[in-house]
Amino acid sequence: MSEKRNEITEQAATATSADEAPSADRSDRADRSQRPGRLRRLRALVRREAARTAGAAVAGIVLALAFPPYDLWPLSLAAVAALSLLTRGRTARQGAWSGFAFGWPFFTLLLQWLHVVGWDAVLGLAFLESLFLAGLGAALAATSRLPLWPLWGACLWVAEEWARDRLPFGGFPWGRLAFANTGSPYTPLAALGGAPLVTFAAALTGTALAAAGLVLWRLRTARDGRDGETVGQRGGRGLVPLAAPLAVAVAVTAAGYAVPVPTAAQDTARIAVVQGNVEQPGMDFLGRPMKILDNHVDATLDLARKIKAGKAERPELVVWPENSSDLDPYRWPEARERIDQAAKAVGVPILVGALVDHPGTKGYVENQGIVWDPDKGPGASYTKQHPVPFGEYVPFRDELSTVITRLQQIPRDFWPGDHSGVLQTGPARLGDVICFEVAYDEIPRDTVNAGARALVVQTNNATYGRTGQPEQQLVMSKLRAVEHGRAVVTAATSGISSVVGPDGTIKQRTQEFERDVISAQLPLRDEITTADRVGAAPEWVIAMVGVLACAAAWFAARRGRTDRRPAQPAGRVRQSDARQTQEGQQR
């Protein structure tokens, strides 16, 4: 009996193995048959998206050409319109890919000046920044199905810049639409709502043009089902949908001309901006110690000799750039003596840029602007509030420096300041802003609201000389001048030094890598603009409208999927209920 049971068990196991073997073979064959299918789908996806991806990349390059050194601002409108059309009606995933394909070429061309650090830095930073535009592309695709989609698209451009200006490590505002439109009809809007309002106006014009282009395309392709006549041939009625987006584009563009830009000065101060120059561009611009300081001292002594000879008028203050003293004047007597010599020779205060050891924390340095009086020596100072990550300090230094050895070239981290840079420099109450801080909205705004009558941007662009970066920074000064109704003085070690009037026009400027001195009558103003009064409120409101539009699109899509879900036939429901009842009774 036992032997019989064992024989039955062996037969069952054999049968099971026999059943499983063909099943495994079928599974392998299925896998092999699916692989060509996956490849075909991938190839089809690449073919389907290739044209759209190429179009997005071209549009990104077009947007980069709207910025200096090319300065073709109308291209910013064309690029916004192109991205709107490329993402319209797409899924969020497809829109994200189009946004990324748009963003990476855009930032690569815009930030090519970073190649002096390394092309890996260019591509890496461009990749990170393009992730924000991937999010923008997804949001544009989602909201493109909503009514008034051009309006929501413009709000989303502001929301994308809001996020990129703050994240990560304090953000990186380079490449804002506003900075491509510092000489456009939208520039005066900065006096009402700052840079975000300029971005919104340019983006809304672009999205409205996209809507107009879409109407034109439909008019061209639509046909009457009865006689084959195009809609456009049926008369002016077909052009009615075109009027609204064109009217929006024209109205927004014209709005800038209606905004007054006050420039009347309550007072003036005569200034001299000294550009001492450096030995060479690139990462090794510092050269030997004292060289940059000597250059600025010598240029100031030349000015003093001209004043004494009656060939130049004595200024009321002199402005030197960031890093004009390459040694800490508080620690190095020779640096202090040279600055004293220059101040006494010219006979007026000098705003000196210097790197100063942090007084309380060893190993840290402060990037300062110091008011140097010819009689009293160093006085009030301003410390840069927003050091540049991976340029002036290294986040997660211990971990990253072992992986990226190039970061060891930054031996010390910069310590951020904790207050705005309003300094009494001779007769003028100036607001000091150091280098990249001019790109951030809040720092110039806080400085003006604290009482600055004019703005001074101390900068050192020697690392990025002749790469287009100084021009990109200069247009930021132009926008800030209009935004705050203040003259803006840029003092650079190697250029571009400039004086920008409160209306945003460049009054004087230097060339790069030339020793030069600018003398100018600087207008001083006390009246603040609407943009200074309202602060960041317009940016927050516009960005939140964009976010809410995304939420509305998500809910609308979800409700649409629910409404499209097929209902179960009533007869089938009754049969299912009867079957469940019968099974319950059997249990």
Side-chain angles (χ1 to χ4, degrees):
M1 192 71 176
S2 176
E3 293 177 358
K4 184 74 170 178
R5 278 198 300 269
N6 291 339
E7 184 179 351
I8 294 173
T9 302
E10 291 175 359
Q11 291 174 354
T14 303
T16 302
S17 302
D19 290 340
E20 288 178 349
S23 176
D25 291 341
R26 285 194 300 270
S27 177
D28 291 341
R29 287 196 298 271
D31 287 343
R32 287 194 296 270
S33 63
Q34 286 175 1
R35 288 170 193 160
R38 292 195 191 102
L39 291 175
R40 282 196 300 271
R41 287 195 297 271
L42 180 60
R43 285 194 293 268
L45 177 64
V46 170
R47 286 195 299 269
R48 188 170 64 248
E49 296 296 326
R52 194 179 298 266
T53 300
V58 170
I61 294 172
V62 166
L63 180 57
L65 297 177
F67 290 81
Y70 316 103
D71 268 334
L72 304 173
W73 69 262
L75 295 183
S76 65
L77 312 182
V80 170
L83 185 61
S84 298
L85 294 175
L86 288 168
T87 55
R88 179 161 173 77
R90 308 287 284 173
T91 66
R93 185 179 300 178
Q94 292 168 335
W97 173 251
S98 295
F100 179 79
F102 175 94
W104 204 1
F106 163 58
F107 282 112
T108 298
L109 182 55
L110 181 75
L111 304 178
Q112 55 82 27
W113 43 266
L114 264 177
H115 76 268
V116 299
V117 178
W119 279 105
D120 55 341
V122 176
L123 296 175
L125 182 57
F127 175 84
L128 291 176
E129 294 299 302
S130 63
L131 296 179
F132 289 94
L133 285 174
L136 172 64
L140 289 174
T143 57
S144 66
R145 296 175 176 84
L146 295 177
L148 302 178
W149 59 269
L151 176 61
W152 316 134
C155 293
L156 288 169
W157 274 93
V158 176
E160 179 268 332
E161 291 185 359
W162 177 93
R164 191 161 54 81
D165 295 353
R166 292 163 174 82
L167 301 171
F169 308 119
F172 185 69
W174 235 260
R176 299 170 70 176
L177 285 180
F179 296 152
N181 285 273
T182 60
S184 75
Y186 313 106
T187 308
L189 295 172
L192 296 181
L197 188 59
V198 178
T199 287
F200 174 74
L204 182 56
T205 304
T207 55
L209 292 176
L214 192 63
V215 171
L216 286 174
W217 177 258
R218 288 172 177 169
L219 289 174
R220 182 176 180 274
T221 57
R223 293 183 178 277
D224 193 315
R226 291 172 299 176
D227 55 14
E229 214 175 38
T230 65
V231 175
Q233 291 170 336
R234 281 180 287 176
R237 287 180 305 154
L239 298 177
V240 172
L242 187 63
L246 287 180
V248 170
V250 172
V252 173
T253 303
Y257 293 106
V259 178
V261 180
T263 59
Q266 284 79 30
D267 199 359
T268 61
R270 186 157 193 86
I271 66 166
V273 182
V274 175
Q275 178 175 302
N277 204 11
V278 300
E279 296 307 297
Q280 58 185 2
M283 294 291 290
D284 300 321
F285 69 90
L286 283 172
R288 63 180 177 83
M290 290 288 292
K291 183 59 181 176
I292 295 179
L293 177 57
D294 284 340
N295 288 348
H296 287 83
V297 170
D298 292 343
T300 306
L301 294 177
D302 287 342
L303 174 63
R305 283 189 287 270
K306 291 179 181 178
I307 294 170
K308 189 174 181 179
K311 297 180 180 179
E313 187 176 347
R314 186 183 301 276
E316 295 175 275
L317 62 101
V318 173
V319 181
W320 286 4
E322 176 190 26
N323 303 151
S324 49
S325 177
D326 44 8
L327 293 177
D328 182 350
Y330 296 108
R331 291 187 61 230
W332 296 89
E334 56 266 48
R336 185 184 185 112
E337 290 169 4
R338 289 291 278 163
I339 299 173
D340 271 333
Q341 180 187 5
K344 285 179 169 58
V346 77
V348 297
I350 301 176
L351 181 60
V352 178
L355 298 182
V356 176
D357 290 340
H358 189 272
T361 306
K362 187 177 180 180
Y364 284 86
V365 66
E366 294 180 332
N367 192 350
Q368 287 191 351
I370 307 168
V371 179
W372 206 284
D373 188 84
D375 299 321
K376 301 176 183 178
S381 65
Y382 165 68
T383 300
K384 186 176 183 180
Q385 302 175 71
H386 201 302
V388 179
F390 301 103
E392 295 175 325
Y393 76 98
V394 180
F396 311 110
R397 175 181 287 274
D398 293 340
E399 294 80 9
L400 292 179
S401 295
T402 57
V403 179
I404 308 173
T405 57
R406 192 183 307 163
L407 296 177
Q408 297 171 8
Q409 297 180 15
I410 307 171
R412 296 189 295 174
D413 289 335
F414 282 41
W415 189 273
D418 57 4
H419 62 272
S420 61
V422 179
L423 301 171
Q424 189 68 37
T425 309
R429 192 169 62 250
L430 302 181
D432 193 11
V433 175
I434 297 180
C435 201
F436 280 20
E437 289 184 326
V438 72
Y440 297 90
D441 292 341
E442 66 277 6
I443 293 177
R445 180 173 61 236
D446 291 346
T447 305
V448 169
N449 284 332
R453 306 184 72 195
L455 292 174
V456 173
V457 181
Q458 293 181 289
T459 187
N460 177 10
N461 292 326
T463 299
Y464 308 113
R466 300 193 181 104
T467 63
Q469 188 270 352
E471 288 92 341
Q472 291 177 8
Q473 189 171 329
L474 178 59
V475 297
M476 298 176 191
S477 294
K478 292 176 59 178
L479 185 70
R480 298 307 179 196
V482 176
E483 181 178 358
H484 304 295
R486 296 291 187 273
V488 180
V489 176
T490 299
T493 51
S494 57
I496 303 170
S497 301
S498 66
V499 176
V500 178
D503 59 352
T505 58
I506 299 176
K507 305 299 184 182
Q508 296 185 61
R509 59 162 288 174
T510 66
Q511 300 302 315
E512 290 189 74
F513 295 100
E514 292 182 5
R515 179 180 294 183
D516 204 348
V517 176
I518 292 177
S519 295
Q521 202 72 24
L522 187 69
L524 305 176
R525 303 187 70 254
D526 295 313
E527 181 185 354
I528 62 173
T529 63
T530 302
D532 290 319
R533 292 188 180 95
V534 299
E539 182 181 29
W540 281 88
V541 170
I542 296 171
M544 285 305 300
V545 170
V547 172
L548 291 174
C550 284
W554 183 80
F555 280 112
R558 185 176 182 183
R559 186 176 61 184
R561 287 194 298 269
T562 303
D563 293 342
R564 290 193 300 269
R565 186 177 298 167
Q568 195 174 13
R572 184 175 299 174
V573 171
R574 286 194 295 270
Q575 292 174 7
S576 176
D577 291 343
R579 191 181 305 112
Q580 292 177 0
T581 302
Q582 184 177 4
E583 290 175 353
Q585 291 174 351
Q586 289 175 354
R587 293 194 197 98

